[in-house]
Structures are given as structure tokens and as C-alpha cells.
Amino acid sequence: MKLKPCLSKAKERKRSQPAIAEAAIPPETTLSLDEFDRCKVEELMESVCFVPQVFVFDLDDTLWEGDIDRSGGTPFCVDGLHIASKHGSGVTLFPDVAEIFQWLESAGHRGAIASHTGAPVWAEAALRVTTTQQGTSFGTIAAIKEMHRAETVAQRSKAVHLQRIAARAG
């Protein structure tokens, strides 16, 4: 497991560096920044009491910057992080989203979408065109979707979406 070597290297650095150096610029290490960040994530995951059965994401200004309702609609195509619309501006994935979905897929975790979008067909289309390195669409990884405009004030709470997702997830 990658965690143990990372932890031992991190502990070696801590023993060899004075405490004040940690608050300043990180010392030179044999670990790249990406490897060091993964070590921190792996260490955190090891300390968590449980891993959720389903990871739930909102869409607008959470997975991507922008509002899918104002994107111009389908068809969409991906250009880097930008999900472009033929008829408008589209939306832009936040930089870490692809890595998060890659991790969900490789670890076998389930995802879900909870969104108050008024254009669920457009949202679904945008999720279908965004894929992991293996070619799996984000819409497939986040297979459970609660995407609809809130009809009443009582339905505007994400708790409504989360309860429905929990019921569907089992």
C-alpha cells in the first residue's frame, strides 16, 4: 500500500526538520508535490471511521463554474476543462473534478448528483460528454441523479434530494 512509504518519508522529514520550518517553505524532499498531497489524502482516508456509500455532488458552481441552465444547451463538446455549447457559452469544470471522478471510478465508489437545475436534460448531456481517462462518463459514475427545479419552498432544501438519493441507493 502506498500509504506506509508516504507516511514513513513524511515522518523522516518531520524528525530532520525543526518545527519552525514546517510553517515556512516546505523542505526539499524526494516526494513530488502530487505524491505528497496523495499521501495526505491517503492518511486522511485511513483515519476516517467510514467511507460513504455514495458521494453526492451539486452541479452549478460545484462540479463546474457556471449555470447549466444558462449554457445554451445541447449539443455539448469538451475542450480541456470547458464543456462548450454550440448555442452559448457552456460551463467550465473546476480543476480537481476530473481527478475526483477518476478516483471514484478506480476505487469503485458510487456517485450521485443533487441539483435544482431547471434543465436536467442539459445537465445529463454535460455529464455524458465528460469522461475519466478510461472513457467512463461522469454521468455513469454518478448514476443516481436528483435533478429538477424546486416546485415549492419546502423542496428547495438539499435534504429533499439527499433523502431521495439515500432511498434509491439502498
Side-chain angles (χ1 to χ4, degrees), residues 104-126:
L104 289 171
E105 179 182 34
S106 65
H109 295 301
R110 296 189 301 167
I113 301 296
S115 178
H116 287 303
T117 182
V121 173
W122 293 0
E124 179 66 41

Side-chain angles (χ1 to χ4, degrees), residues 73-113:
T74 60
F76 292 110
C77 65
V78 177
D79 181 17
L81 293 175
H82 190 69
I83 304 169
S85 169
K86 183 177 179 182
H87 307 290
S89 59
V91 293
T92 303
L93 287 173
F94 286 108
D96 294 331
V97 171
E99 186 176 353
I100 291 167
F101 274 78
Q102 183 71 38
W103 175 78
L104 289 171
E105 179 182 34
S106 65
H109 295 301
R110 296 189 301 167
I113 301 296

Side-chain angles (χ1 to χ4, degrees), residues 2 12 23 43-44 49 51 63 70 77 117-118 129 148 152 164 169:
K2 201 173 185 180
E12 287 173 24
E43 184 178 357
L44 178 63
C49 296
V51 176
L63 285 187
R70 297 181 186 152
C77 65
T117 182
V129 298
H148 47 80
T152 66
R164 291 177 182 167

